[in-house]
């Protein structure tokens, strides 16, 4: 792919795109190492690609100790933005988050703040319960299953003003959703007016065959690409059909995606930069990845950074 670096359309697509999930498989780092990594990424020249640091709410107290030396010291430095995963003890986890923010936002010069919460729900009632318990100050992402048709769950998220979370991969081939299933989710989310984040399996820009872990004998499978997913969502927001989204998700040719000062293209389809910006703000928010270097290195290899 031949492009000019630092194009507005590229920057719009990748700004804050990667939430760092180094604590989770397949890297599964200890908290101190993940925190040091995140601090180094914030100092990297490609820091603009970096989003939040993801951790379970139950590990916030541990984070306070393990990450202390890595957190910003100067009042002029922006705080780390954290996304906390809550489990079955919803009220207990929310109390842990509130206590952490009280200590770090007020007591430590704003060095870190939990401003997003992630949870899981499989029914409308579970969504209602989570949304009712969670203060509006947090950006709430609720992971919903892709089967059966998630339209009723996305409708409940829309009514509650919550966002969706979609699992796009994992460490085994069966964890990767088929493109028509993922396209249906994207189409339903756009139709419902529900923004989403993705999690798992989006380490690379373009769909291709990759190892699923870092083990020498790792299984291999065709993984979704983050260009495919985020541009499919953006095109849906601009009026494309679910069938179009399936074709974009299936795309395996990196040269089919092109970027110019005024926008992005997939084959003969064009998106203005303003449409990309609207999609990132209103539809396709971020994706969680246990690796930050892989997405950045792939973008560099494509001469997009």
């Amino acid at each position: 792919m031949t492009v000019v670096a630092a194009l507005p359309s590229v920057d719009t697509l990748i700004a804050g795109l990667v939430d760092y999930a180094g604590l989770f498989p397949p890297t599964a780092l200890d908290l101190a190492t993940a925190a040091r990594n995140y601090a180094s990424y914030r100092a990297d020249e490609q820091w603009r690609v970096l989003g939040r640091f993801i951790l379970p709410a139950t590990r916030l107290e541990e984070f306070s100790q393990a990450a202390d030396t890595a957190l910003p010291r100067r009042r002029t430095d922006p705080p780390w933005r954290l996304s906390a995963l809550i489990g079955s003890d919803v009220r207990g986890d929310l109390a842990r988050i509130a206590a952490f923010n009280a200590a770090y936002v007020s007591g430590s010069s704003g060095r870190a703040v939990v401003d997003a919460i992630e949870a899981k729900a499989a029914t409308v009632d579970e969504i209602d319960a989570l949304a009712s318990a969670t203060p509006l100050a947090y950006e709430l992402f609720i992971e919903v299953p892709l089967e059966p048709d998630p339209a009723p769950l996305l409708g409940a998220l829309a009514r509650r003003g919550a966002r969706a979370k979609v699992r796009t991969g994992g460490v085994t081939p069966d964890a990767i959703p088929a493109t028509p299933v993922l396209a249906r989710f994207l189409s339903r989310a756009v139709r419902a007016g529900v923004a989403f984040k993705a999690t798992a399996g989006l380490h690379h820009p373009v769909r291709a065959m990759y190892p699923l872990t870092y083990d020498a004998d790792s299984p291999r499978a065709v993984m979704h690409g983050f260009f495919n997913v985020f541009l499919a969502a953006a095109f849906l927001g601009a009026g494309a059909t679910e069938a179009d989204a399936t074709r974009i998700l299936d795309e395996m040719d990196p040269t089919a995606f092109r970027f110019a000062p005024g926008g992005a293209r997939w084959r003969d389809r064009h998106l203005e930069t303003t449409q990309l910006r609207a999609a990132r703000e209103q539809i396709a928010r971020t994706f969680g990845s246990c690796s930050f270097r892989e997405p950045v290195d792939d973008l560099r290899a494509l001469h997009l950074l």
Side-chain angles (χ1 to χ4, degrees):
M1 182 187 295
T2 302
V3 296
V4 178
L7 293 169
S9 58
V10 173
D11 280 348
T12 298
L13 180 61
I14 67 175
L17 185 64
V18 183
D19 288 340
Y20 181 54
L23 297 177
F24 300 89
T27 55
L29 300 174
D30 63 86
L31 215 164
T33 301
R36 286 195 299 271
N37 286 352
Y38 188 77
S40 71
Y41 302 152
R42 278 172 55 100
D44 189 277
E45 61 179 344
Q46 307 306 341
W47 63 269
R48 68 188 186 278
V49 184
L50 187 62
R52 295 179 172 103
F53 183 96
I54 305 176
L55 77 168
T58 53
R59 300 189 70 180
L60 282 169
E61 184 174 351
E62 179 189 354
F63 174 89
S64 300
Q65 300 173 349
D68 185 67
T69 59
L71 290 169
R73 295 286 176 182
R74 298 176 300 182
R75 290 180 179 273
T76 54
D77 291 335
W80 287 20
R81 298 175 65 204
L82 311 181
S83 185
L85 278 62
I86 62 175
S88 57
D89 181 14
V90 174
R91 296 196 180 278
D93 284 343
L94 289 173
R96 293 180 183 95
I97 293 167
F100 176 89
N101 279 350
Y104 266 86
V105 176
S106 302
S108 300
S109 303
R111 299 173 65 200
V113 58
V114 176
D115 63 356
I117 289 174
E118 302 181 30
K120 291 184 178 181
T123 67
V124 170
D125 286 345
E126 290 174 355
I127 288 173
D128 287 338
L130 282 166
S132 295
T134 304
L136 296 176
Y138 301 107
E139 190 171 13
L140 175 61
F141 293 91
I142 300 179
E143 181 179 341
V144 296
L146 293 176
E147 296 284 8
D149 189 334
L153 301 179
L154 291 166
L157 292 175
R159 290 192 299 274
R160 287 293 190 165
R163 304 183 188 281
K165 179 177 173 183
V166 59
R167 190 160 294 273
T168 49
V171 297
T172 58
D174 62 295
I176 303 171
T179 51
V181 174
L182 185 53
R184 181 180 65 185
F185 168 85
L186 297 177
S187 177
R188 301 294 193 270
V190 170
R191 187 182 305 171
V194 174
F196 71 90
K197 73 171 292 184
T199 186
L202 291 186
H203 291 200
H204 306 281
V206 181
R207 178 178 174 84
M209 177 74 72
Y210 295 106
L212 300 184
T213 73
Y214 301 111
D215 297 333
D217 59 349
S218 169
R220 296 175 62 87
V222 175
M223 297 169 66
H224 293 292
F226 59 83
F227 279 0
N228 303 73
V229 172
F230 281 74
L231 288 174
F235 275 106
L236 282 165
T241 66
E242 189 174 318
D244 294 330
T246 301
R247 287 190 288 271
I248 296 169
L249 290 172
D250 276 330
E251 182 63 72
M252 300 180 74
D253 181 1
T255 66
F257 300 102
R258 298 184 179 275
F259 299 89
R265 300 188 70 88
W266 169 69
R267 297 194 177 274
D268 62 344
R269 301 291 187 92
H270 177 75
L271 280 173
E272 301 290 337
T273 300
T274 53
Q275 292 174 303
L276 274 177
R277 184 173 298 110
R280 284 298 316 282
E281 292 173 354
Q282 302 167 21
I283 303 171
R285 300 289 290 153
T286 63
F287 70 90
S289 172
C290 68
S291 172
F292 179 70
R293 287 299 177 199
E294 276 187 311
V296 166
D297 288 347
D298 279 9
L299 288 168
R300 284 186 174 128
L302 293 172
H303 308 291
L304 292 172
L305 287 176

